[in-house]
Amino acid sequence: TSQKSGSLDAINGIRALSMAWILYAHTYLIPIKETFSFAKEYSKAVSGVFFQFILNGWVIVDSFFLVGAILSFYTNFKGLEKRKKINFLAIIFNRFCRISPANWFTILLILVIPSISSGPLWNEYFDYQFNKCTKFWWSNLIFINNWFKESNICLIHTWYLAADMQLYIVSLIFLIPVYKY
């Protein structure tokens, strides 16, 4: 197939491979403390070559930060070439409006679900998450939850959204100097 000039099709491959690695690593890393209760079993399991992909899976999220930075600069450079100026507030507001609704809906769901559900693992997991969200839900709304201790983060997996939003805003500071030079 032929590619047009300036195409970023390889980004999709990087995202797909990164997501596969993240899913692979999280499948094992999340329950690892329950799985390997004895040190002998643990040392035997981690000695395998393929287990190194799991142990080093924590850093793969960085590839999404890199892809985000590339796409941010790529799209904003196109805007600069067309208009010769950039409205930073509009760009940040647009990003905020694209990411926020799903995040807000999830927090709302966490706060509403206790009135409609229960189950055998309810107290073990959900009450813990619910208590954190009733106190710290606001930090998710303004994307600063990654600055808190892990025990104070509502929906711990949303640390990525906060970090991505913060890095996106910081990347805009470098946009004009990189474009000019």
Side-chain angles (χ1 to χ4, degrees), residues 40-80:
K40 187 176 182 180
E41 289 179 52
Y42 180 76
S43 64
K44 182 180 175 185
V46 299
S47 64
V49 172
F50 289 109
F51 206 83
Q52 297 310 309
F53 286 108
I54 296 168
L55 290 177
N56 295 301
W58 297 112
V59 297
I60 194 59
V61 175
D62 294 352
S63 68
F64 284 103
F65 290 134
L66 176 65
V67 166
I70 290 169
L71 292 175
S72 169
F73 273 70
Y74 184 77
T75 57
N76 287 319
F77 277 177
K78 280 188 167 186
L80 274 171

Side-chain angles (χ1 to χ4, degrees), residues 90-101:
I91 290 172
I92 293 169
F93 182 73
N94 181 26
R95 174 103 170 173
F96 185 80
C97 289
R98 283 188 303 120
I99 294 175
S100 295

Side-chain angles (χ1 to χ4, degrees), residues 51-161:
F51 206 83
Q52 297 310 309
F53 286 108
I54 296 168
L55 290 177
N56 295 301
W58 297 112
V59 297
I60 194 59
V61 175
D62 294 352
S63 68
F64 284 103
F65 290 134
L66 176 65
V67 166
I70 290 169
L71 292 175
S72 169
F73 273 70
Y74 184 77
T75 57
N76 287 319
F77 277 177
K78 280 188 167 186
L80 274 171
E81 288 175 355
K82 287 179 185 176
R83 293 181 296 279
K84 298 293 182 204
K85 63 179 181 173
I86 191 161
N87 185 346
F88 291 108
L89 291 178
I91 290 172
I92 293 169
F93 182 73
N94 181 26
R95 174 103 170 173
F96 185 80
C97 289
R98 283 188 303 120
I99 294 175
S100 295
N103 194 21
W104 295 348
F105 180 75
T106 306
I107 293 167
L108 179 66
L109 210 58
I110 289 287
L111 298 175
V112 170
I113 283 180
S115 61
I116 60 174
S117 188
S118 65
L121 298 176
W122 194 261
N123 292 338
E124 186 176 328
Y125 176 74
F126 199 83
D127 280 350
Y128 173 71
Q129 194 64 252
F130 177 75
N131 291 335
K132 291 192 308 183
C133 285
T134 55
K135 293 178 188 170
F136 300 104
W137 59 270
W138 56 271
S139 64
N140 285 51
L141 297 184
I142 57 175
F143 298 104
I144 61 167
N145 55 319
N146 63 324
W147 291 50
F148 290 29
K149 292 190 310 186
E150 183 179 332
S151 60
N152 295 336
I153 297 178
C154 170
L155 303 172
I156 190 133
H157 58 280
T158 60
W159 72 268
Y160 176 81
L161 291 175

